[in-house]
Amino acid sequence: MYILGLESSCDETSAAVVEMSEQGRFIRSNIVASQIDVHRLYGGVVPEIASRAHIEAISKITYEALEEAGITLSDVGAIGVTAFPGLIGALLVGVNFAKSLAYANNIPLVAVNHVHGHVSAALLSDPTLEAPFLALVVSGGHTSIYKVNSYTDYEEIGSTRDDAVGESFDKVGRVIGLPYPGGAALDKLAYEGDPKAIQLPSPAIVGDNLDFSFSGLKTAALNYINQAEQKKEELNRADLAASYTRAVTRAIGKKISAALDETGMKTLVMAGGVAANSHLRSAIGEICTSKKVKFVCPPLNLCGDNAAMIAAAAYYEFLRGNFADTSLNASATE
Ligand code: KG4
Ligand code: ZN
């Protein structure tokens, strides 16, 4: 069956067609219209501008996605749309567009949780992946660990108590002059620095829990930058990038190790924009190898926001009969 996915929760408008059945999970098209160049001028996402850009792009890319998949709306078995969490004005564009399309063409509508969408990217990249498994979602808006009992049953067992990891990467990147979003540039810069050069606090919360706090680490990095400026010392940006990355990677590694031991899960999925981080991919990959745990991390094009992952999540909600109707509203929170 063909599912049309629609995503507009932040700064990418995306439309995709996936073909899902007992026989396999296939991406037939996955168009992403990124707004990053517009938001870069402001150093971060401007919600009002994001909503307007979604409105301009959504109709066009939806028809592009159908065309690339070689189908028309009459072939679509269900429409899956990100309804929460995200920027409310941005989400409303996708939700209203999806509602109209579903109503006018008599197609079942499914509301998708964006975070479940990120995890579902792994279902597309690894056709052999089966629940239950452990999932780590690391993105600009989320840092959470889930026990995924089935494709529609997520149990959060750990999360950040303040900033998301991607948000903290972006903030530090901005202060050291990297273009928005700083995560990918910081990833590269970290290779040129000494990861042990600067002592930074761990974002792993101490104790018997699986939680994180990135605000203390971010503030320590910003203080370090300010102090260097006050002392008129030249800041070694590569050392900072490497040390910051080390602190993040070690903390996530520590909590993931504990989560794997506690749950006894034999598969780990890592998803979300920050799952593109090469240092994190290799560190978490090594932990999984040492624990004989299967590690599934989607390719880079499925880590960032895209609608194929939303369509994949929608398929399993569809199978459970979780339909939405024209009363569907968006929500900024989960
Ligand atoms: O999943 P995503 O596209 O949007 C949200 O749902 O938040 O994630 C975007 C985040 C940004 O913070 C961006 O800096 C980060 O993913 N990111 C990275 C890398 N590539 C993207 N962070 C670290 N290393 C990367 N290579
Ligand atoms: Zn996302």
Side-chain angles (χ1 to χ4, degrees):
M1 129 181 214
Y2 291 108
I3 317 273
L4 172 65
L6 295 166
E7 156 64 35
S8 71
S9 67
C10 191
D11 58 356
E12 333 267 5
T13 325
S14 181
V17 173
V18 300
E19 190 177 357
M20 306 285 282
S21 70
E22 296 273 297
Q23 284 69 46
R25 312 156 181 162
F26 306 99
I27 301 174
R28 298 303 183 203
S29 62
N30 192 14
I31 315 256
V32 180
S34 177
Q35 307 172 5
I36 281 179
D37 289 345
V38 185
H39 298 295
R40 187 168 284 152
L41 303 172
Y42 305 91
V45 179
V46 183
E48 169 77 16
I49 295 175
S51 308
R52 287 166 188 258
H54 286 308
I55 289 174
E56 281 166 23
I58 199 157
S59 182
K60 183 170 170 278
I61 61 160
T62 298
Y63 287 98
E64 276 174 23
L66 291 168
E67 198 180 324
E68 196 178 306
I71 63 166
T72 65
L73 273 175
S74 59
D75 302 309
V76 171
I79 297 176
V81 63
T82 304
F84 59 96
L87 298 171
I88 190 69
L91 286 164
L92 281 168
V93 175
V95 165
N96 274 308
F97 182 75
K99 283 203 290 190
S100 313
L101 215 55
Y103 181 71
N105 296 281
N106 207 16
I107 301 170
L109 178 66
V110 178
V112 176
N113 177 330
H114 181 80
V115 181
H116 297 186
H118 272 302
V119 175
S120 303
L123 299 174
L124 294 169
S125 69
D126 182 348
T128 65
L129 178 62
E130 297 281 351
F133 53 82
L134 198 71
L136 166 69
V137 178
V138 276
S139 75
H142 313 278
T143 310
S144 295
I145 304 172
Y146 298 91
K147 248 177 89 185
V148 181
N149 300 316
S150 77
Y151 299 147
T152 55
D153 177 11
Y154 284 61
E155 199 182 317
E156 190 181 78
I157 55 172
S159 73
T160 179
R161 296 189 184 171
D162 41 56
D163 300 345
V165 58
E167 188 184 355
S168 92
F169 270 133
D170 294 345
K171 179 73 200 240
V172 171
R174 186 163 79 182
V175 175
I176 63 172
L178 300 175
Y180 173 83
L186 213 78
D187 184 351
K188 270 201 203 119
L189 188 59
Y191 284 101
E192 293 165 30
D194 173 4
K196 293 191 180 161
I198 305 165
Q199 283 297 316
L200 293 168
S202 170
I205 289 193
V206 178
D208 191 14
N209 64 71
L210 298 171
D211 289 347
F212 303 95
S213 164
F214 291 93
S215 75
L217 169 65
K218 182 187 73 183
T219 308
L222 298 183
N223 285 343
Y224 182 85
I225 297 165
N226 287 339
Q227 279 165 15
E229 209 170 82
Q230 278 164 5
K231 289 190 219 153
K232 304 220 177 335
E233 285 171 5
E234 199 184 327
L235 177 74
N236 187 325
R237 300 189 322 154
D239 280 353
L240 183 67
S243 303
Y244 199 89
T245 303
R246 178 175 186 255
V248 167
T249 307
R250 280 164 62 102
I252 294 179
K254 188 175 166 189
K255 295 294 183 183
I256 281 299
S257 275
L260 287 168
D261 293 345
E262 261 173 46
T263 60
M265 290 284 174
K266 286 286 159 219
T267 303
L268 173 73
V269 165
M270 181 165 83
V274 181
N277 187 278
S278 59
H279 308 269
L280 193 60
R281 282 170 98 93
S282 59
I284 302 297
E286 275 170 27
I287 290 171
C288 288
T289 306
S290 75
K291 290 186 181 293
K292 298 194 170 46
V293 164
K294 174 176 166 165
F295 182 45
V296 182
C297 194
L300 301 197
N301 66 322
L302 292 178
C303 284
D305 290 348
N306 69 89
M309 69 185 198
I310 301 302
Y315 174 67
Y316 294 101
E317 297 292 346
F318 174 91
L319 290 184
R320 288 201 61 208
N322 285 341
F323 301 118
D325 60 26
T326 46
S327 68
L328 175 66
N329 201 350
S331 165
T333 54
E334 274 191 62

Tab-separated table of all heavy atoms in Angstrom, residues 210-245:
chain	number	residue	atom	x	y	z
A	210	LEU	N	18.261	7.587	33.579
A	210	LEU	CA	18.772	7.614	32.197
A	210	LEU	C	18.576	9.008	31.600
A	210	LEU	O	18.342	9.162	30.406
A	210	LEU	CB	18.044	6.548	31.366
A	210	LEU	CG	18.252	5.099	31.840
A	210	LEU	CD1	17.322	4.133	31.108
A	210	LEU	CD2	19.704	4.660	31.645
A	211	ASP	N	18.700	10.017	32.463
A	211	ASP	CA	18.426	11.392	32.028
A	211	ASP	C	19.693	12.204	31.741
A	211	ASP	O	20.784	11.877	32.198
A	211	ASP	CB	17.588	12.121	33.086
A	211	ASP	CG	16.166	11.587	33.138
A	211	ASP	OD1	15.774	10.848	32.213
A	211	ASP	OD2	15.462	11.901	34.110
A	212	PHE	N	19.485	13.286	31.008
A	212	PHE	CA	20.578	14.194	30.632
A	212	PHE	C	20.217	15.620	31.006
A	212	PHE	O	19.047	15.960	31.177
A	212	PHE	CB	20.782	14.175	29.101
A	212	PHE	CG	21.051	12.833	28.525
A	212	PHE	CD1	20.014	12.067	27.994
A	212	PHE	CD2	22.344	12.323	28.501
A	212	PHE	CE1	20.253	10.816	27.442
A	212	PHE	CE2	22.595	11.073	27.946
A	212	PHE	CZ	21.545	10.316	27.422
A	213	SER	N	21.257	16.457	31.088
A	213	SER	CA	21.034	17.906	31.186
A	213	SER	C	22.135	18.565	30.368
A	213	SER	O	23.319	18.427	30.691
A	213	SER	CB	21.128	18.365	32.645
A	213	SER	OG	21.276	19.765	32.664
A	214	PHE	N	21.753	19.217	29.297
A	214	PHE	CA	22.759	19.836	28.422
A	214	PHE	C	22.970	21.307	28.715
A	214	PHE	O	23.891	21.923	28.193
A	214	PHE	CB	22.380	19.635	26.943
A	214	PHE	CG	22.499	18.208	26.524
A	214	PHE	CD1	21.410	17.359	26.581
A	214	PHE	CD2	23.724	17.692	26.128
A	214	PHE	CE1	21.521	16.024	26.235
A	214	PHE	CE2	23.849	16.360	25.776
A	214	PHE	CZ	22.736	15.519	25.842
A	215	SER	N	22.128	21.894	29.580
A	215	SER	CA	22.249	23.343	29.786
A	215	SER	C	23.536	23.684	30.546
A	215	SER	O	24.181	24.688	30.261
A	215	SER	CB	21.011	23.922	30.468
A	215	SER	OG	21.002	23.585	31.812
A	216	GLY	N	23.932	22.836	31.521
A	216	GLY	CA	25.160	23.104	32.287
A	216	GLY	C	26.391	23.013	31.390
A	216	GLY	O	27.299	23.845	31.464
A	217	LEU	N	26.413	22.018	30.537
A	217	LEU	CA	27.543	21.841	29.610
A	217	LEU	C	27.623	23.033	28.657
A	217	LEU	O	28.699	23.605	28.424
A	217	LEU	CB	27.340	20.542	28.814
A	217	LEU	CG	28.276	20.334	27.628
A	217	LEU	CD1	29.719	20.171	28.093
A	217	LEU	CD2	27.853	19.111	26.809
A	218	LYS	N	26.470	23.431	28.149
A	218	LYS	CA	26.428	24.564	27.210
A	218	LYS	C	26.928	25.834	27.902
A	218	LYS	O	27.766	26.571	27.357
A	218	LYS	CB	24.982	24.749	26.732
A	218	LYS	CG	24.782	25.840	25.722
A	218	LYS	CD	23.308	26.070	25.443
A	218	LYS	CE	22.641	26.764	26.615
A	218	LYS	NZ	21.185	26.946	26.434
A	219	THR	N	26.453	26.080	29.134
A	219	THR	CA	26.866	27.288	29.862
A	219	THR	C	28.371	27.248	30.140
A	219	THR	O	29.055	28.273	30.018
A	219	THR	CB	26.076	27.402	31.200
A	219	THR	OG1	24.693	27.289	30.872
A	219	THR	CG2	26.329	28.707	31.908
A	220	ALA	N	28.899	26.074	30.513
A	220	ALA	CA	30.344	25.959	30.786
A	220	ALA	C	31.132	26.304	29.526
A	220	ALA	O	32.153	27.008	29.588
A	220	ALA	CB	30.671	24.549	31.258
A	221	ALA	N	30.663	25.844	28.377
A	221	ALA	CA	31.364	26.148	27.118
A	221	ALA	C	31.287	27.643	26.820
A	221	ALA	O	32.287	28.259	26.410
A	221	ALA	CB	30.758	25.336	25.976
A	222	LEU	N	30.123	28.235	27.037
A	222	LEU	CA	29.967	29.672	26.754
A	222	LEU	C	30.836	30.501	27.707
A	222	LEU	O	31.456	31.494	27.302
A	222	LEU	CB	28.494	30.094	26.860
A	222	LEU	CG	27.541	29.404	25.868
A	222	LEU	CD1	26.129	29.942	25.986
A	222	LEU	CD2	28.022	29.535	24.421
A	223	ASN	N	30.926	30.066	28.994
A	223	ASN	CA	31.801	30.754	29.957
A	223	ASN	C	33.258	30.673	29.516
A	223	ASN	O	34.011	31.641	29.614
A	223	ASN	CB	31.668	30.136	31.361
A	223	ASN	CG	30.364	30.550	32.021
A	223	ASN	OD1	29.720	31.505	31.590
A	223	ASN	ND2	29.959	29.817	33.048
A	224	TYR	N	33.638	29.507	29.050
A	224	TYR	CA	35.024	29.297	28.591
A	224	TYR	C	35.343	30.263	27.441
A	224	TYR	O	36.398	30.899	27.414
A	224	TYR	CB	35.199	27.847	28.147
A	224	TYR	CG	36.594	27.530	27.701
A	224	TYR	CD1	37.579	27.164	28.613
A	224	TYR	CD2	36.953	27.638	26.348
A	224	TYR	CE1	38.878	26.897	28.199
A	224	TYR	CE2	38.234	27.382	25.923
A	224	TYR	CZ	39.190	27.008	26.856
A	224	TYR	OH	40.486	26.765	26.435
A	225	ILE	N	34.395	30.403	26.531
A	225	ILE	CA	34.588	31.296	25.374
A	225	ILE	C	34.691	32.757	25.854
A	225	ILE	O	35.597	33.502	25.439
A	225	ILE	CB	33.409	31.146	24.371
A	225	ILE	CG1	33.383	29.721	23.810
A	225	ILE	CG2	33.493	32.179	23.248
A	225	ILE	CD1	32.088	29.336	23.096
A	226	ASN	N	33.800	33.146	26.787
A	226	ASN	CA	33.802	34.533	27.313
A	226	ASN	C	35.104	34.853	28.045
A	226	ASN	O	35.670	35.934	27.886
A	226	ASN	CB	32.630	34.742	28.279
A	226	ASN	CG	31.333	34.822	27.503
A	226	ASN	OD1	31.351	35.108	26.302
A	226	ASN	ND2	30.224	34.545	28.163
A	227	GLN	N	35.551	33.874	28.855
A	227	GLN	CA	36.787	34.106	29.609
A	227	GLN	C	37.982	34.291	28.682
A	227	GLN	O	38.824	35.157	28.900
A	227	GLN	CB	37.039	32.968	30.581
A	227	GLN	CG	36.224	33.125	31.858
A	227	GLN	CD	36.173	31.840	32.666
A	227	GLN	OE1	36.946	30.919	32.427
A	227	GLN	NE2	35.241	31.782	33.614
A	228	ALA	N	38.036	33.491	27.639
A	228	ALA	CA	39.138	33.609	26.677
A	228	ALA	C	39.102	35.009	26.042
A	228	ALA	O	40.146	35.656	25.868
A	228	ALA	CB	39.011	32.538	25.599
A	229	GLU	N	37.902	35.465	25.760
A	229	GLU	CA	37.740	36.792	25.144
A	229	GLU	C	38.198	37.887	26.098
A	229	GLU	O	38.941	38.798	25.714
A	229	GLU	CB	36.260	36.988	24.826
A	229	GLU	CG	35.998	37.884	23.637
A	229	GLU	CD	34.531	37.805	23.253
A	229	GLU	OE1	33.731	38.498	23.899
A	229	GLU	OE2	34.202	37.024	22.347
A	230	GLN	N	37.778	37.753	27.383
A	230	GLN	CA	38.155	38.769	28.379
A	230	GLN	C	39.669	38.816	28.576
A	230	GLN	O	40.248	39.881	28.733
A	230	GLN	CB	37.470	38.487	29.711
A	230	GLN	CG	36.059	39.013	29.744
A	230	GLN	CD	35.249	38.402	30.886
A	230	GLN	OE1	35.773	37.659	31.711
A	230	GLN	NE2	33.969	38.711	30.918
A	231	LYS	N	40.294	37.630	28.550
A	231	LYS	CA	41.756	37.577	28.754
A	231	LYS	C	42.496	37.877	27.453
A	231	LYS	O	43.716	37.794	27.390
A	231	LYS	CB	42.147	36.179	29.238
A	231	LYS	CG	41.713	35.878	30.661
A	231	LYS	CD	42.381	34.564	31.091
A	231	LYS	CE	41.441	33.725	31.912
A	231	LYS	NZ	41.651	32.309	31.870
A	232	LYS	N	41.727	38.190	26.423
A	232	LYS	CA	42.283	38.468	25.087
A	232	LYS	C	43.152	37.306	24.580
A	232	LYS	O	44.156	37.492	23.898
A	232	LYS	CB	43.069	39.793	25.084
A	232	LYS	CG	42.267	40.985	25.564
A	232	LYS	CD	42.568	42.208	24.741
A	232	LYS	CE	41.790	43.454	25.057
A	232	LYS	NZ	40.502	43.354	25.679
A	233	GLU	N	42.748	36.098	24.956
A	233	GLU	CA	43.464	34.917	24.456
A	233	GLU	C	42.744	34.427	23.210
A	233	GLU	O	41.517	34.515	23.124
A	233	GLU	CB	43.405	33.790	25.499
A	233	GLU	CG	44.326	34.018	26.673
A	233	GLU	CD	44.077	32.988	27.779
A	233	GLU	OE1	43.262	32.058	27.593
A	233	GLU	OE2	44.699	33.162	28.837
A	234	GLU	N	43.521	33.884	22.305
A	234	GLU	CA	42.861	33.365	21.101
A	234	GLU	C	42.186	32.036	21.418
A	234	GLU	O	42.798	31.143	22.022
A	234	GLU	CB	43.893	33.191	19.979
A	234	GLU	CG	43.170	33.123	18.646
A	234	GLU	CD	44.123	32.860	17.483
A	234	GLU	OE1	45.286	33.319	17.545
A	234	GLU	OE2	43.669	32.185	16.541
A	235	LEU	N	40.929	31.935	21.060
A	235	LEU	CA	40.169	30.712	21.354
A	235	LEU	C	40.548	29.634	20.348
A	235	LEU	O	40.533	29.884	19.145
A	235	LEU	CB	38.669	31.025	21.247
A	235	LEU	CG	37.736	29.840	21.463
A	235	LEU	CD1	37.661	29.462	22.936
A	235	LEU	CD2	36.338	30.170	20.938
A	236	ASN	N	40.887	28.434	20.877
A	236	ASN	CA	41.123	27.322	19.962
A	236	ASN	C	39.771	26.647	19.708
A	236	ASN	O	39.305	25.826	20.492
A	236	ASN	CB	42.135	26.342	20.566
A	236	ASN	CG	42.529	25.276	19.557
A	236	ASN	OD1	41.706	24.840	18.741
A	236	ASN	ND2	43.788	24.868	19.591
A	237	ARG	N	39.137	27.023	18.611
A	237	ARG	CA	37.769	26.571	18.332
A	237	ARG	C	37.723	25.060	18.108
A	237	ARG	O	36.771	24.390	18.487
A	237	ARG	CB	37.224	27.282	17.086
A	237	ARG	CG	37.185	28.802	17.235
A	237	ARG	CD	36.447	29.472	16.105
A	237	ARG	NE	36.672	28.844	14.806
A	237	ARG	CZ	35.824	28.897	13.791
A	237	ARG	NH1	34.687	29.551	13.929
A	237	ARG	NH2	36.079	28.325	12.647
A	238	ALA	N	38.792	24.536	17.500
A	238	ALA	CA	38.802	23.092	17.232
A	238	ALA	C	38.894	22.305	18.535
A	238	ALA	O	38.223	21.275	18.706
A	238	ALA	CB	39.960	22.748	16.309
A	239	ASP	N	39.712	22.798	19.497
A	239	ASP	CA	39.800	22.117	20.800
A	239	ASP	C	38.445	22.147	21.497
A	239	ASP	O	38.036	21.166	22.123
A	239	ASP	CB	40.839	22.806	21.711
A	239	ASP	CG	42.267	22.385	21.375
A	239	ASP	OD1	42.429	21.462	20.541
A	239	ASP	OD2	43.209	22.978	21.941
A	240	LEU	N	37.767	23.281	21.391
A	240	LEU	CA	36.452	23.390	22.037
A	240	LEU	C	35.463	22.425	21.370
A	240	LEU	O	34.726	21.700	22.054
A	240	LEU	CB	35.924	24.831	21.962
A	240	LEU	CG	34.596	25.022	22.691
A	240	LEU	CD1	34.748	24.846	24.199
A	240	LEU	CD2	33.991	26.393	22.405
A	241	ALA	N	35.456	22.401	20.045
A	241	ALA	CA	34.548	21.489	19.326
A	241	ALA	C	34.830	20.038	19.712
A	241	ALA	O	33.908	19.259	19.979
A	241	ALA	CB	34.695	21.682	17.816
A	242	ALA	N	36.121	19.697	19.790
A	242	ALA	CA	36.492	18.305	20.112
A	242	ALA	C	36.133	17.972	21.560
A	242	ALA	O	35.607	16.881	21.841
A	242	ALA	CB	37.985	18.102	19.866
A	243	SER	N	36.392	18.897	22.482
A	243	SER	CA	36.115	18.638	23.905
A	243	SER	C	34.610	18.575	24.153
A	243	SER	O	34.130	17.753	24.937
A	243	SER	CB	36.746	19.727	24.789
A	243	SER	OG	38.128	19.804	24.543
A	244	TYR	N	33.877	19.449	23.478
A	244	TYR	CA	32.418	19.469	23.631
A	244	TYR	C	31.819	18.153	23.102
A	244	TYR	O	30.984	17.519	23.742
A	244	TYR	CB	31.832	20.662	22.864
A	244	TYR	CG	30.441	21.025	23.312
A	244	TYR	CD1	30.237	21.933	24.353
A	244	TYR	CD2	29.327	20.449	22.719
A	244	TYR	CE1	28.950	22.261	24.773
A	244	TYR	CE2	28.046	20.772	23.143
A	244	TYR	CZ	27.861	21.683	24.162
A	244	TYR	OH	26.592	22.004	24.593
A	245	THR	N	32.302	17.765	21.949
A	245	THR	CA	31.820	16.525	21.327
A	245	THR	C	32.133	15.324	22.222
A	245	THR	O	31.309	14.418	22.391
A	245	THR	CB	32.471	16.335	19.934
A	245	THR	OG1	32.158	17.491	19.156
A	245	THR	CG2	31.966	15.106	19.225
